[in-house]
Every structure is written in C-alpha cells, then in structure tokens.
Amino acid sequence: MSYSFDKKGIRGNESFYWANYSNNNGIINSFMNQARNYLQFVGDTINGQVINGVTFCFSSQPPQAVIDALNSIGVTVNWV
C-alpha cells in the first residue's frame, strides 16, 4: 500500500482485483491492521500537515464487507 498526506489526513492508495479473494476475512484483517496503524497519527502534524483522518482509496469498488469494516473504525473508503 502506498500512502500520502494531505490537508485531510492520511490517504492509502490500493490497487486490488477483488475477484482474486474468495474469502474477504484475511484481506479485511490486513486492511484493519493498516488502518489502525494510520489512525494512531490522527491529530499529529506530519510534514507540516495536521492529520485529520484516514482514507483508503481503491482502484475499484471493494466488497461491501471491506467498506463496512473500515468505516466501523472511522476510515473513509473511496474508489475510482
């Protein structure tokens, strides 16, 4: 996962082909661990930017279970 900082917070950029994952539990756990690591920086200043939140940006719409899990801990999920 790559990430960047902007005025809104930490943005994680993901590129996945969701059909490769028959069971979302493993990938959900992986994203939840990453998200929790990023969430610890909310409120800090990094590279001159105050971190206000965490957003994961995917190259395609993730399964609803992934969206729900990340949203449940306060992570915004977007896709293109």
Side-chain angles (χ1 to χ4, degrees):
M1 171 186 236
S2 65
Y3 62 90
S4 59
F5 303 101
D6 65 19
K7 64 183 178 182
K8 294 181 182 178
I10 299 174
R11 300 178 65 84
N13 302 302
E14 292 286 354
S15 180
F16 278 90
Y17 184 63
W18 298 106
N20 287 343
Y21 299 95
S22 59
N23 180 338
N24 293 323
N25 291 335
I27 198 73
I28 288 171
N29 289 336
S30 176
F31 288 137
M32 294 292 280
N33 288 335
Q34 289 174 347
R36 286 186 187 101
N37 286 333
Y38 294 153
L39 286 168
Q40 70 183 337
F41 297 107
V42 171
D44 290 352
T45 301
I46 300 175
N47 293 341
Q49 298 287 330
V50 176
I51 304 304
N52 296 317
V54 176
T55 301
F56 277 27
C57 302
F58 294 96
S59 59
S60 62
Q61 182 176 357
Q64 192 62 46
V66 172
I67 296 168
D68 292 344
L70 290 169
N71 286 169
S72 75
I73 61 170
V75 173
T76 303
V77 177
N78 293 324
W79 56 90
V80 284

